[in-house]
């Protein structure tokens, strides 16, 4: 696999001509998923939808690995790690956040999930032995300040449902745990194989809960459901997760997770463009400390 660079030449080992491409693609795909999910859950219960999405995406990714001659069953240790990662990164993270998104906005979900870099920055030291220098700390604080600015109007106006907020918070905790676990155990498996196994593990973990709590009769086969589902399978589950684990494999957990600070402005943008969700000028102002915070958090000391 070719090396991929990150945000700047001061951050991670670079590959010529690819410095911003995987970063920009990941951020756009990941942040757009919240609006696509909000559309999809209107016509299909969230756990049923996710189970089908993970099942189809996992089969496609393992098929690509086999077609490229890169499929092999991982050793037992790596397989167990990938299954656990699938439960955290797919089943719990998206299962909880999508369930919460039935009662809260897609923009609010994107903002809340984007606070994960601060949690990872704090935990990466004791868990991974990563050093949290003044640049990373300042960058994380600036990013958090930008997120707080974006959250201001939504929290003060009590526009979001408390139960939905708690579910999304649980999804946030699962994402943080999955990121730290991936960096800690780092399974040595090809990306199509590893993401495919994680996706299938997520489907298997969600299936009994979907069957127990939801009914297929509540699903409506509309054009919007079909296209949003297709987008999430191909662009997000296959493209977004592939890029995320590629970036995470090249960066420290703190630096890679700092990219999630871009999700509030991008999530707001997609919420406004696709769903017509309101955006204030203070929301947009939060982009400034977020962008500068990412630059600090991912910049290697010279």
């Amino acid at each position: 696999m070719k090396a991929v660079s990150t945000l700047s030449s001061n951050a991670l080992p670079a590959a010529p001509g690819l410095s911003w491409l995987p970063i920009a693609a990941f951020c756009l795909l990941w942040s757009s998923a919240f609006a696509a999910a909000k559309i999809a859950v209107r016509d299909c219960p969230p756990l049923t939808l996710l189970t089908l999405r993970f099942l189809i995406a996992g089969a496609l990714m393992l098929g690509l690995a086999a077609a490229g001659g890169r499929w092999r069953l991982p050793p037992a240790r790596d397989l167990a790690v990938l299954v656990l990662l699938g439960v955290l990164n797919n089943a719990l993270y998206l299962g909880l956040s999508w369930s919460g998104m039935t009662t809260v906005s897609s923009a609010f979900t994107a903002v809340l999930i984007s606070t994960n870099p601060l949690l990872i920055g704090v935990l990466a030291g004791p868990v991974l032995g990563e050093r949290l220098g003044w640049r990373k700390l300042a960058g994380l604080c600036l990013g958090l300040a930008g997120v707080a600015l974006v959250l201001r109007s939504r929290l003060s106006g009590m526009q979001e449902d408390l139960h939905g907020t708690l579910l999304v918070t649980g999804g946030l905790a699962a994402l943080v745990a999955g990121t730290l676990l991936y960096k800690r155990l780092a399974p040595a498996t090809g990306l199509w194989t590893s993401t495919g196994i994680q996706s299938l593990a997520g489907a298997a973990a969600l299936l009994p809960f979907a069957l127990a709590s939801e009914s297929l009769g509540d699903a409506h086969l509309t054009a919007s459901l079909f296209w949003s589902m297709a987008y999430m399978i191909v662009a997000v589950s296959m493209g977004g997760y592939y890029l995320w684990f590629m970036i995470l494999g090249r960066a420290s957990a703190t630096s890679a997770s700092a990219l999630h600070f871009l999700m509030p402005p991008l999530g707001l943008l997609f919420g406004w463009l696709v769903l017509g969700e309101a955006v204030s000028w203070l929301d947009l102002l939060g982009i400034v400390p977020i962008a500068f915070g990412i630059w600090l958090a991912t910049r290697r000391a010279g």
Side-chain angles (χ1 to χ4, degrees), residues 131-217:
R131 179 175 172 271
L132 186 63
W134 73 266
R135 284 188 180 87
K136 285 185 179 181
L137 181 59
L140 292 173
C141 290
L142 277 171
L144 186 63
V147 170
L149 195 60
V150 174
L151 277 172
R152 174 205 53 81
S153 60
R154 298 172 183 278
L155 292 178
S156 61
M158 299 299 290
Q159 299 174 16
E160 308 294 351
D161 175 66
L162 177 59
H163 181 256
T165 300
L166 292 175
L167 288 174
V168 175
T169 301
L172 166 65
L175 178 62
V176 170
T179 301
L180 294 172
L181 181 65
Y182 185 88
K183 291 298 293 184
R184 177 80 178 181
L185 300 178
T189 311
L191 280 177
W192 283 130
T193 298
S194 64
T195 50
I197 291 174
Q198 288 182 69
S199 191
L200 292 180
L206 283 176
L207 180 60
F209 295 97
L211 292 174
S213 62
E214 297 175 351
S215 170
L216 282 177

Side-chain angles (χ1 to χ4, degrees), residues 50 54 84-98 167-168 170-175 202 205-206 209:
L50 280 170
F54 293 152
L84 180 55
L85 286 170
V87 172
L88 290 170
N89 289 322
N90 291 351
L92 287 175
Y93 161 48
L94 289 177
L96 290 170
S97 59
W98 277 35
L167 288 174
V168 175
L172 166 65
L175 178 62
L206 283 176
F209 295 97

Side-chain angles (χ1 to χ4, degrees), residues 69-300:
R70 297 182 178 179
W71 159 254
R72 63 178 179 83
L73 186 65
R77 179 262 189 193
D78 285 354
L79 183 61
V81 169
L82 289 171
V83 169
L84 180 55
L85 286 170
V87 172
L88 290 170
N89 289 322
N90 291 351
L92 287 175
Y93 161 48
L94 289 177
L96 290 170
S97 59
W98 277 35
S99 295
M101 209 168 3
T102 59
T103 58
V104 301
S105 69
S106 69
F108 179 79
T109 303
V111 169
L112 192 56
I113 292 296
S114 73
T115 60
N116 84 87
L118 185 65
L119 297 175
I120 289 180
V122 171
L123 295 172
V127 175
L128 302 175
E130 293 183 5
R131 179 175 172 271
L132 186 63
W134 73 266
R135 284 188 180 87
K136 285 185 179 181
L137 181 59
L140 292 173
C141 290
L142 277 171
L144 186 63
V147 170
L149 195 60
V150 174
L151 277 172
R152 174 205 53 81
S153 60
R154 298 172 183 278
L155 292 178
S156 61
M158 299 299 290
Q159 299 174 16
E160 308 294 351
D161 175 66
L162 177 59
H163 181 256
T165 300
L166 292 175
L167 288 174
V168 175
T169 301
L172 166 65
L175 178 62
V176 170
T179 301
L180 294 172
L181 181 65
Y182 185 88
K183 291 298 293 184
R184 177 80 178 181
L185 300 178
T189 311
L191 280 177
W192 283 130
T193 298
S194 64
T195 50
I197 291 174
Q198 288 182 69
S199 191
L200 292 180
L206 283 176
L207 180 60
F209 295 97
L211 292 174
S213 62
E214 297 175 351
S215 170
L216 282 177
D218 294 329
H220 308 286
L221 299 180
T222 63
S224 60
L225 174 61
F226 173 83
W227 288 113
S228 59
M229 183 71 158
Y231 179 80
M232 287 184 292
I233 290 172
V234 177
V236 183
S237 282
M238 298 179 68
Y241 270 95
Y242 184 96
L243 288 169
W244 169 238
F245 289 115
M246 176 187 289
I247 293 166
L248 190 57
R250 307 283 177 181
S252 70
T254 303
S255 296
S257 64
L259 297 173
H260 286 266
F261 277 140
L262 279 173
M263 301 312 159
L266 290 174
L268 289 166
L269 174 64
F270 283 111
W272 173 67
L273 284 175
V274 179
L275 303 171
E277 295 175 350
V279 178
S280 73
W281 68 270
L282 279 176
D283 292 335
L284 301 178
L285 187 62
I287 295 174
V288 177
I290 288 170
F292 188 52
I294 289 174
W295 180 79
L296 279 176
T298 57
R299 183 174 182 270
R300 181 175 295 171

Side-chain angles (χ1 to χ4, degrees), residues 20-30 240 243:
W20 275 94
L21 182 59
I23 301 299
F26 164 73
C27 291
L28 288 172
L29 291 174
W30 198 272
L243 288 169

